[in-house]
Amino acid sequence: MKKFMVVLLIGVMAVLSACGNGNNAAESSGDKKEITVGFGVGTYEEQFRQSILPILEEKGYTVDIKTFSQNMQVNPAMKEGSIDASIFQSTAYMEAINEEIDADMTGIAYVPGAPQGLYSVNHTTLDDVKDGTTVAVPNDPVNQERALRILEELGWIKIKEGAGVADFNINSMEADKFNIDIKILDPAQILVSLQDVDYGVVNGNYIANSPDHKITDALKIENTPMQHRIIVSVNKKDENTQWAKDLKAAYESKEFEEYITGLEKYDGFILPEAWDNN
């Protein structure tokens, strides 16, 4: 009897172990139906809640949405595993952070994103520029590089040869036609500080959230390069999971395209090229 009980116990343990391994295999295969998505400041959470979330819920997903008060908090959360995906950053920014914190994130889809633009409440034309003109630009390297590329395209400044993106700073530029007085501010503060400067380069998501401004009000809109377009990012190990594929499909879907193009607030946004196939 004692020998029978031992054999029975071993058999039960083997079955439980097999079940446990099966669960782990399912989790590792990416077949989970509960995911956590992180957002920084901007319009991307609103887009997700109103259009992407219903698409995922229809496929049986339960989604936990985490909103961070500062963009710099999002990627460390991704690395530690407290979020599965994020929608807030560009490829250039992601790659810089990958190197900085030894992360391994990758982009799986492009998101409708707002371009940077040069705005003013004190001038109605770019022809007012002169030596000493004040221009506010973002303080983080990636967005600052974008902003100064706009000024370079106008011929106001020059960016030195070999200037990087992740390590870009104000010393990467020099005067061209004018001696511009560059004011470095937090990106979120530039729009509300326009009355204090001649011009300001504002990230488009802040414009889209403003009831008093539109992207098309800009005196100059950037031609946003691919490396600066907003992406859905995940950890590299998850890019081929089913949930990541379904998230990508939602952002490239006809339903999401119709949602974005149907709202005036998104006029001027850069639209994903994948929508050409819809």
Side-chain angles (χ1 to χ4, degrees):
M1 181 67 176
K2 186 178 294 185
K3 180 183 292 186
F4 172 76
M5 291 299 294
V6 170
V7 171
L8 180 62
L9 180 59
I10 291 173
V12 170
M13 290 176 66
V15 170
L16 290 175
S17 176
C19 291
N21 289 337
N23 289 338
N24 290 338
E27 289 178 5
S28 64
S29 70
D31 292 336
K32 64 181 183 179
K33 286 291 188 176
E34 295 184 5
I35 60 174
T36 302
V37 182
F39 296 87
V41 179
T43 62
Y44 307 111
E45 181 183 342
E46 179 182 342
Q47 294 176 12
F48 186 90
R49 287 185 183 275
Q50 293 188 3
S51 185
I52 300 299
L53 182 59
I55 295 173
L56 293 176
E57 288 178 335
E58 190 173 336
K59 290 186 175 181
Y61 287 95
T62 299
V63 183
D64 180 22
I65 296 173
K66 284 192 175 181
T67 306
F68 296 84
S69 59
Q70 296 181 327
N71 286 350
M72 68 178 63
Q73 299 170 324
V74 184
N75 286 326
M78 178 93 78
K79 181 181 178 182
E80 72 181 21
S82 59
I83 62 175
D84 298 300
S86 71
I87 297 94
F88 82 104
Q89 66 185 337
S90 67
T91 301
Y93 184 81
M94 178 192 71
E95 290 176 348
I97 297 300
N98 271 345
E99 185 173 341
E100 181 178 321
I101 67 172
D102 192 28
D104 191 23
M105 297 176 289
T106 189
I108 59 172
Y110 285 99
V111 176
Q116 279 190 344
L118 187 64
Y119 296 84
S120 179
V121 297
N122 295 313
H123 303 276
T124 59
T125 175
L126 298 176
D127 294 335
D128 292 342
V129 64
K130 59 185 178 181
D131 288 347
T133 289
T134 53
V135 181
V137 302
N139 61 0
D140 65 284
V142 173
N143 282 311
Q144 188 176 114
E145 189 261 352
R146 292 172 62 190
L148 292 178
R149 292 289 179 190
I150 294 176
L151 305 189
E152 182 182 50
E153 187 176 343
L154 292 171
W156 294 7
I157 60 105
K158 285 182 179 178
I159 294 177
K160 297 177 182 177
E161 187 176 349
V165 175
D167 58 349
F168 191 90
N169 61 67
I170 199 64
N171 295 321
S172 301
M173 61 151 280
E174 58 189 9
D176 192 356
K177 294 179 182 177
F178 306 98
N179 288 312
I180 301 297
D181 183 7
I182 300 294
K183 304 294 185 183
I184 301 174
L185 301 177
D186 181 273
Q189 296 302 312
I190 297 177
L191 181 59
V192 297
S193 301
L194 285 178
Q195 68 272 14
D196 301 322
V197 294
D198 291 302
Y199 303 94
V201 180
V202 184
N203 289 358
N205 57 312
Y206 300 117
I207 297 293
N209 276 337
S210 170
D212 302 320
H213 298 83
K214 293 188 293 186
I215 290 172
T216 50
D217 293 336
L219 297 174
K220 174 69 176 176
I221 296 177
E222 77 169 339
N223 181 19
T224 311
M226 295 302 292
Q227 66 173 341
H228 290 312
R229 297 186 185 184
I230 302 302
I231 56 174
V232 179
S233 51
V234 300
N235 287 313
K236 183 75 173 176
K237 65 180 178 62
D238 293 325
E239 70 173 326
N240 292 316
T241 59
Q242 188 58 50
W243 63 261
K245 291 177 181 178
D246 288 339
L247 181 59
K248 172 183 170 69
Y251 270 98
E252 296 179 351
S253 68
K254 183 68 174 177
E255 295 95 321
F256 186 48
E257 178 185 1
E258 291 175 346
Y259 162 77
I260 292 293
T261 57
L263 293 177
E264 185 180 357
K265 71 180 294 182
Y266 295 123
D267 288 350
F269 267 51
I270 302 163
L271 305 181
E273 293 180 355
W275 289 0
D276 293 342
N277 299 321
N278 287 340

